[in-house]
Amino acid sequence: MNYYIDMTLLPSAEISLGFLWKKIYQQVHLALAEQKNSNNTFDFALSFPCYNDKVFPLGDCVRIFSSSKESFERLNINKWLEQVQDYILLSEVAATPDGVKQFATFKRKQFKSNVARLARRYAKRKGIDFEEALKHYEDFSEQETKLPFINVKSLSSNNEMKIFILQEFKNEKINGEFNAYGLSKTATVPWF
């Protein structure tokens, strides 16, 4: 991850930071998904430099990393962000600073928190009706979390889902794969 761009979100009195995150992250996800390489992986990673900000848990900035400047030309993020261009400030492509000593992993964390969704899936899997499946989860207690999240609309199912994002610091660079959300279970990005 030798190059990056910063995207700063600019909320207004009419448009909240949460709403902007939803709209912008959706478009970034679509842009990244278009960039799947021949190995069915993605050459881009995301970082949230203001993670755990007191005003908004993900802060107001997303950093997109890649290994080359040319990949940003192919990504053409400006095209994907045309509808929200008045609410973002996009930096030029810059080289990752030399001598970065700390790294971070940003991964999706999933929780079993929606009983109705779990029951629907259980009913489908077991071939039973929804009410019977709901009884299976009578004693279920929802997992709660304070992790920051972004609401994203699934284009395949048209359902809203929460992408919970967990940050973990590492003392060394770890190579790995990133998904279409720019997140990874193991791979790191430079932290600066």
Side-chain angles (χ1 to χ4, degrees):
M1 298 298 158
N2 303 322
Y3 294 91
Y4 73 96
I5 57 173
D6 278 343
M7 196 175 349
T8 305
L9 285 64
L10 306 170
S12 67
E14 301 86 33
I15 298 181
S16 71
L17 197 49
F19 182 80
L20 279 179
W21 268 113
K22 178 180 177 177
K23 293 297 183 189
I24 290 168
Y25 196 73
Q26 182 79 44
Q27 291 305 111
V28 169
H29 162 59
L30 292 172
L32 296 181
E34 286 281 318
Q35 298 298 312
K36 186 184 287 189
N37 62 33
S38 59
N39 301 333
N40 281 338
T41 59
F42 301 86
D43 298 325
F44 294 91
L46 297 185
S47 171
F48 303 89
C50 302
Y51 189 91
N52 272 338
D53 184 70
K54 294 198 183 347
V55 176
F56 193 82
L58 285 173
D60 63 356
C61 182
V62 62
R63 185 169 287 154
I64 305 173
F65 284 99
S66 188
S67 56
S68 71
K69 279 186 174 181
E70 295 75 29
S71 59
F72 282 109
E73 291 172 18
R74 285 192 312 274
L75 180 64
N76 193 10
I77 196 67
N78 287 320
K79 175 187 98 173
W80 293 95
L81 299 171
E82 283 177 343
Q83 295 176 338
V84 291
Q85 66 185 353
D86 293 342
Y87 300 99
I88 57 170
L89 181 61
L90 199 59
S91 74
E92 296 292 322
V93 175
T96 301
D98 292 331
V100 172
K101 301 260 190 263
Q102 194 168 29
F103 300 87
T105 298
F106 290 91
K107 63 175 85 176
R108 182 176 181 190
K109 181 79 173 157
Q110 292 182 282
F111 296 93
K112 294 181 180 178
S113 60
N114 186 321
V115 174
R117 181 179 58 82
L118 293 170
R120 277 193 305 276
R121 291 179 69 200
Y122 187 76
K124 185 176 180 179
R125 205 170 51 246
K126 297 292 185 181
I128 59 177
D129 68 3
F130 176 73
E131 296 303 321
E132 188 177 342
L134 205 51
K135 288 178 186 174
H136 177 75
Y137 289 99
E138 282 178 335
D139 297 329
F140 179 80
S141 62
E142 293 185 0
Q143 294 176 325
E144 292 186 19
T145 182
K146 299 278 187 206
L147 284 179
F149 66 90
I150 302 172
N151 285 313
V152 177
K153 189 173 199 170
S154 168
L155 297 180
S156 59
S157 67
N158 211 26
N159 292 332
E160 290 256 337
M161 60 184 178
K162 291 181 179 178
I163 305 285
F164 289 95
I165 300 173
L166 174 65
Q167 175 192 48
E168 293 178 339
F169 288 108
K170 308 289 182 181
N171 291 324
E172 62 185 12
K173 176 182 175 181
I174 300 171
N175 292 322
E177 297 176 352
F178 292 89
N179 63 23
Y181 291 102
L183 307 173
S184 176
K185 292 179 180 178
T186 57
T188 60
V189 293
W191 183 253
F192 56 93

